[in-house]
Amino acid sequence: MASESRTFIEEARRAQIITCAIEVLATQGYARTSLARVARLAKISTGVIPYHFGGKAQLIQAVVAEVARLATDMMVPRILAQPTATEGLRAYIEGNLEFMRLHRKPLLALMEIVTHERGDGGGPGPYDEQAEIAIADLEKLLGWGKRTGEFRDLDPHSMAVIIRGAIDAVPGRLVRDPHLDLDPLIRELVTTFAIATRRQR
């Protein structure tokens, strides 16, 4: 029982630290995000963070994983509920922009990480693996549409890169214009990629 209690407490503490790291990244920016600032917001000693995460790099990776989890939990059920790949692609695009609307601070925190953090020695950054997963998942959705004959004979990888590029351009606009109306963007993205992917009858 004691072990279970400690595990629960540790998980709760980790979640608290990640939430505070997201807040600091989103409001202070990457350059001003330090373990001390995160600890101050969490009302804990700075030494508690290395105990749970090892250091700033591991904490940043945990933030990336948490934002990815939030997005996945929100979007995947919507996509899987669709009866066709065409509707699945619509749900994918709508879900991505709805996530941006509803989870602004996690989005801003992730942007700070993507913009400023690179891997050691110029290697992969903390978001690079997740970005590849996003492309691979979208490829599967596009492959579904090809198999059912809804989509034309497109190259799933290339189209996935193009769709992600269009979606990933939106956060930068939101930073410059926090009051940006996402509804027209959603409509145009859905329409554009419905035309770009559909099979000509």
Side-chain angles (χ1 to χ4, degrees):
M1 181 67 70
S3 176
E4 290 179 4
S5 297
R6 284 197 299 273
T7 299
F8 173 79
I9 291 169
E10 287 176 357
E11 286 302 316
R13 179 66 79 191
R14 282 177 59 89
Q16 177 201 20
I17 293 168
I18 291 169
T19 298
C20 290
I22 288 172
E23 177 73 21
V24 175
L25 282 161
T27 57
Q28 301 294 318
Y30 184 87
R32 292 173 59 82
T33 297
S34 64
L35 297 188
R37 286 180 185 275
V38 174
R40 191 155 51 247
L41 183 61
K43 296 181 171 60
I44 58 176
S45 67
T46 304
V48 172
I49 298 178
Y51 171 79
H52 288 283
F53 294 97
K56 183 177 178 180
Q58 292 87 344
L59 177 57
I60 291 296
Q61 194 65 64
V63 168
V64 170
E66 174 62 12
V67 177
R69 184 195 66 78
L70 287 171
T72 299
D73 288 353
M74 177 177 168
M75 291 188 289
V76 168
R78 296 186 184 191
I79 296 167
L80 294 180
Q82 303 309 313
T84 66
T86 300
E87 289 304 311
L89 182 57
R90 172 189 289 272
Y92 180 89
I93 294 169
E94 290 176 344
N96 270 272
L97 271 72
E98 280 298 321
F99 176 83
M100 296 176 195
R101 193 201 308 271
L102 297 175
H103 296 283
R104 187 64 59 89
K105 284 188 177 177
L107 177 68
L108 291 175
L110 186 61
M111 284 189 64
E112 286 293 318
I113 293 169
V114 170
T115 303
H116 295 95
E117 175 72 357
R118 297 304 306 165
D120 294 335
Y127 182 68
D128 289 2
E129 181 180 356
Q130 188 57 49
E132 290 304 313
I133 291 172
I135 293 292
D137 288 344
L138 185 49
E139 284 185 61
K140 293 175 185 175
L141 176 54
L142 295 166
W144 173 24
K146 283 186 68 175
R147 289 192 301 274
T148 60
E150 298 169 64
F151 295 161
R152 62 179 175 81
D153 188 24
L154 51 80
D155 177 57
H157 179 74
S158 297
M159 183 59 73
V161 170
I162 292 166
I163 294 171
R164 280 302 332 167
I167 291 171
D168 292 341
V170 176
R173 300 298 306 177
L174 280 172
V175 170
R176 290 188 288 274
D177 181 6
H179 303 293
L180 178 68
D181 185 359
L182 290 178
D183 290 332
L185 279 172
I186 293 172
R187 288 194 298 271
E188 292 298 337
L189 282 171
V190 167
T191 300
T192 296
F193 289 111
I195 294 170
T197 57
R198 72 187 177 198
R199 185 176 185 178
Q200 299 300 317
R201 303 298 180 185

